[in-house]
């Protein structure tokens, strides 16, 4: 019945819309962090989507199995050459487009978790690449 349908929806799932893809080369790599302690430390990439599936520079992703009782934050980047990592220049500056949830931006380096965090139980979010 309807009640069991609602219970199933509590296993957290996040639907992400990524926009601003400037090319269809490579892949978009997405990491989701549960809580500030994990922020940008866990190397686990939860989703990898081929960029050539984008429509008008937009991708729709669904990430399952997330905890629904803690704030989450998302980091993603467009791995244009498909080597599985963020390419950087000799100064350590990222060479590939990247973004965080809430469009959070750090002054020098990545933003703090508090700027990127989504409320516990968030099921939909849109992120735009620069």
């Amino acid at each position: 019945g309807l009640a069991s349908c609602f219970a199933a929806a509590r296993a957290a799932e996040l639907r992400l819309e990524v926009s601003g893809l400037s090319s269809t080369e490579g892949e978009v790599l997405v990491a989701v962090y549960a809580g500030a302690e994990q922020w940008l430390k866990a190397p686990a990439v939860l989703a990898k989507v081929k960029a050539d599936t984008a429509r008008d520079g937009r991708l729709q992703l669904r990430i399952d199995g997330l905890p629904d009782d803690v704030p989450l934050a998302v980091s993603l980047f467009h791995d244009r050459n498909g080597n599985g990592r963020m390419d950087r220049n000799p100064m350590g500056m990222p060479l590939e487009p990247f973004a965080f949830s809430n469009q959070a931006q750090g002054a020098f380096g990545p933003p703090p978790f508090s700027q990127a965090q989504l409320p516990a139980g968030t099921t939909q979010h849109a992120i735009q690449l620069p």
Side-chain angles (χ1 to χ4, degrees):
L2 204 53
S4 63
C5 163
F6 277 116
R10 274 193 61 77
E13 162 191 300
L14 180 62
R15 291 171 188 265
L16 272 185
E17 178 183 284
V18 181
S19 60
L21 267 80
S22 53
S23 82
T24 54
E25 298 169 84
E27 301 172 315
V28 174
L29 273 55
V30 181
V32 180
Y33 302 90
E37 307 75 43
Q38 260 197 23
W39 181 231
L40 303 178
K41 292 193 184 82
V45 171
L46 287 183
K48 200 184 268 201
V49 187
K50 295 212 173 302
D52 63 9
T53 57
R55 301 229 179 287
D56 302 324
R58 290 175 183 273
L59 279 175
Q60 304 283 342
L61 314 176
R62 205 175 94 189
I63 301 171
D64 295 314
L66 298 171
D68 64 355
D69 54 350
V70 293
L72 301 174
V74 180
S75 74
L76 57 85
F77 75 100
H78 183 184
D79 181 17
R80 286 183 173 146
N81 59 9
N83 66 358
R85 59 190 167 83
M86 167 67 79
D87 293 326
R88 299 174 185 276
N89 70 14
M91 304 285 291
M93 300 296 290
L95 294 172
E96 294 175 301
F98 65 94
F100 299 95
S101 40
N102 294 332
Q103 298 303 131
Q105 300 197 338
F108 300 97
F113 181 81
S114 59
Q115 281 181 24
Q117 80 177 30
L118 304 173
T122 298
T123 56
Q124 277 182 285
H125 192 63
I127 299 180
Q128 181 162 3
L129 286 162

